[in-house]
């Protein structure tokens, strides 16, 4: 079953890597008391993710902040080291918090996974964007496999 507007996010473990090391986070606790713009990409360094999806959120970071978003978070089914390196390559400048869903727990809890075995990627998160306010989903935009039409920052900004 796919998560829907009004549902609460799950208390599953995700990871972040920063200068101080690898940090394990409870996703529900991470979202508590905050407004979060979360976007998920099937894979770091992959063409649409790197050339379109991530840049749409980076270029609109100030607009999200102006509309009351506390955190913009990028999630992918990768390890925390890959997510840190990808964030450094794309120069997050502190605008985007990188989340590694290393075991695909968060994507599974949302019911938003895809089988990317044909591309050598295995089970991955579907491409989506969502707004989360104090742990509850207030907007959700999902894509069909291979698509990039509904989950951009520009679309999600209209929900604020």
């Amino acid at each position: 079953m796919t998560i829907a507007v009004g549902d609460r996010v799950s208390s599953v473990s995700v990871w972040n890597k920063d200068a101080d090391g690898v940090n394990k986070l409870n996703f529900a606790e991470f979202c508590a008391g905050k407004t979060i713009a979360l976007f998920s990409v099937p894979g770091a360094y992959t063409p649409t993710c790197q050339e379109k999806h991530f840049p749409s959120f980076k270029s609109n970071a100030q607009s999200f902040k102006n509309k009351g978003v506390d955190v913009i978070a990028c999630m992918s089914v990768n390890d925390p080291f890959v997510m840190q390196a990808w964030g450094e390559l794309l120069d997050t400048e502190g605008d985007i918090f990188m989340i590694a869903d290393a075991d695909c727990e968060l994507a599974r809890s949302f019911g938003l996974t895809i089988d990317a075995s044909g591309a050598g990627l295995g089970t991955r998160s579907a491409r989506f964007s969502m707004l989360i306010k104090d742990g509850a989903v207030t907007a959700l935009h999902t894509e069909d496999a291979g698509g990039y039409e509904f989950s951009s920052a520009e679309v999600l900004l209209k929900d604020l």
Side-chain angles (χ1 to χ4, degrees):
M1 180 184 243
T2 303
I3 197 165
V5 170
D7 290 348
R8 302 214 45 91
V9 298
S10 301
S11 293
V12 298
S13 295
V14 293
W15 303 87
N16 170 265
K17 168 80 174 73
D18 60 21
D20 296 326
V22 176
N23 308 293
K24 186 176 184 178
L25 307 168
N26 176 297
F27 190 70
E29 290 175 9
F30 173 74
C31 294
K34 297 182 197 99
T35 298
I36 297 177
L38 174 69
F39 68 104
S40 182
V41 299
Y45 297 99
T46 59
T48 301
C49 305
Q50 183 160 322
E51 296 166 12
K52 295 179 183 176
H53 206 182
F54 191 100
S56 79
F57 280 86
K58 176 139 176 62
S59 67
N60 284 287
Q62 190 59 52
S63 296
F64 278 104
K65 290 176 185 177
N66 292 345
K67 291 187 174 221
V69 170
D70 300 301
V71 177
I72 301 169
C74 174
M75 178 194 100
S76 185
V77 178
N78 285 110
D79 66 68
F81 298 92
V82 166
M83 292 302 286
Q84 179 196 30
W86 192 45
E88 289 172 356
L89 174 74
L90 297 175
D91 195 17
T92 63
E93 295 178 5
D95 290 329
I96 299 175
F97 187 81
M98 304 300 281
I99 294 176
D101 186 17
D103 298 316
C104 200
E105 285 186 71
L106 187 57
R108 282 191 179 107
S109 77
F110 290 157
L112 291 169
T113 60
I114 59 170
D115 180 359
S117 299
L121 300 172
T123 302
R124 293 293 176 134
S125 174
R127 183 181 312 283
F128 67 84
S129 64
M130 71 170 62
L131 283 176
I132 304 164
K133 292 186 181 182
D134 195 23
V137 177
T138 61
L140 174 63
H141 302 279
T142 60
E143 301 283 359
D144 290 330
Y148 179 69
E149 183 179 352
F150 307 110
S151 61
S152 70
E154 294 81 4
V155 171
L156 195 61
L157 275 166
K158 293 176 185 176
D159 295 315
L160 290 167

